[in-house]
Amino acid sequence: MKEITIGNNVEQCVERADYPPDKVRQILKDETIAVLGYGVQGRGQSLNMRDNGLKVIVGQRKGGKAYDLCLEDGWKPGVTLFDPEEAAAKGTVVQYLLSDAGQKDMWPKLKPHLTRGKALYFSHGFAIVFNDQTGVIPPKDIDVILVAPKGSGTTVRRLFLEGRALTAALPSTRTRPAGLASAASP
């Protein structure tokens, strides 16, 4: 890892070379990554992780364009495609990639599935930073990860398919290895 200084802050930079795909697969070999939501970020990140050989499931409600897109992309109902609550229960890493409003509305249904030792992952921090307005306050016995790709999920996916990647901010992990946070960004 490299250190860079921004103003008076020294930041640790995790680069793709620090966590090549084989190392990421080894770190995450016992994890089930549940991606809740199949919008722009959910689709791009879940497909990238699946293509990298990680165990990924998707939580998406039946009906609608997003569910149909899940089916088109090869997610199998009852195998790799579930209702969000069931996916959250099955996942050890839960990627919370719903819209801001969706995160606020879903939180009471998600929280009971965030049991000791799991990790909750965000791709932007609105819901957790403004928790006084959203009510999104994770339990103390889970890990919280924020990986903020510097572009849309569509761009993340396109660059992944080209063998390239975006920069992502990794501001916080509690106890999981840094490799866990970097796995979602190709």
Side-chain angles (χ1 to χ4, degrees):
M1 291 194 294
K2 294 182 180 177
E3 286 187 356
I4 63 170
T5 303
I6 302 172
N8 294 327
N9 298 314
V10 176
E11 299 285 338
Q12 296 289 328
C13 295
V14 177
E15 296 183 319
R16 188 178 189 157
D18 295 324
Y19 289 92
D22 287 341
K23 185 174 181 179
V24 171
R25 281 189 289 275
Q26 181 59 33
I27 291 168
L28 298 174
K29 70 181 178 352
D30 297 325
E31 306 290 349
T32 297
I33 303 162
V35 177
L36 304 188
Y38 208 67
V40 173
Q41 286 296 343
R43 183 179 190 216
Q45 291 186 36
S46 62
L47 291 171
N48 290 358
M49 290 185 293
R50 183 178 73 183
D51 288 355
N52 266 322
L54 301 178
K55 184 177 179 186
V56 180
I57 61 176
V58 173
Q60 180 63 47
R61 297 248 181 259
K62 289 182 182 177
K65 292 180 184 179
Y67 189 84
D68 292 343
L69 194 53
C70 289
L71 297 174
E72 286 176 33
D73 288 342
W75 302 102
K76 306 284 185 220
V79 178
T80 56
L81 178 59
F82 303 92
D83 279 342
E85 294 91 339
E86 188 174 357
K90 292 178 177 296
T92 56
V93 177
V94 178
Q95 288 193 242
Y96 205 29
L97 302 181
L98 302 173
S99 67
D100 294 332
Q103 287 185 8
K104 181 180 177 182
D105 290 345
M106 177 72 183
W107 185 249
K109 298 172 194 157
L110 170 61
K111 193 172 179 181
H113 301 292
L114 297 174
T115 54
R116 178 183 295 271
K118 288 192 176 190
L120 177 62
Y121 167 112
F122 296 89
S123 278
H124 64 86
F126 182 86
I128 196 163
V129 170
F130 295 101
N131 59 22
D132 60 326
Q133 297 171 46
T134 64
V136 176
I137 302 171
K140 294 190 183 301
D141 58 356
I142 68 164
D143 298 320
V144 176
I145 303 164
L146 172 60
V147 178
K150 301 297 185 192
S152 74
T154 305
T155 304
V156 168
R157 181 66 177 160
R158 180 179 51 78
L159 292 174
F160 173 85
L161 292 172
E162 293 172 4
R164 300 170 44 210
L166 281 174
T167 302
L170 301 170
S172 178
T173 62
R174 283 200 280 195
T175 59
R176 296 264 178 173
L180 181 62
S182 67
S185 295

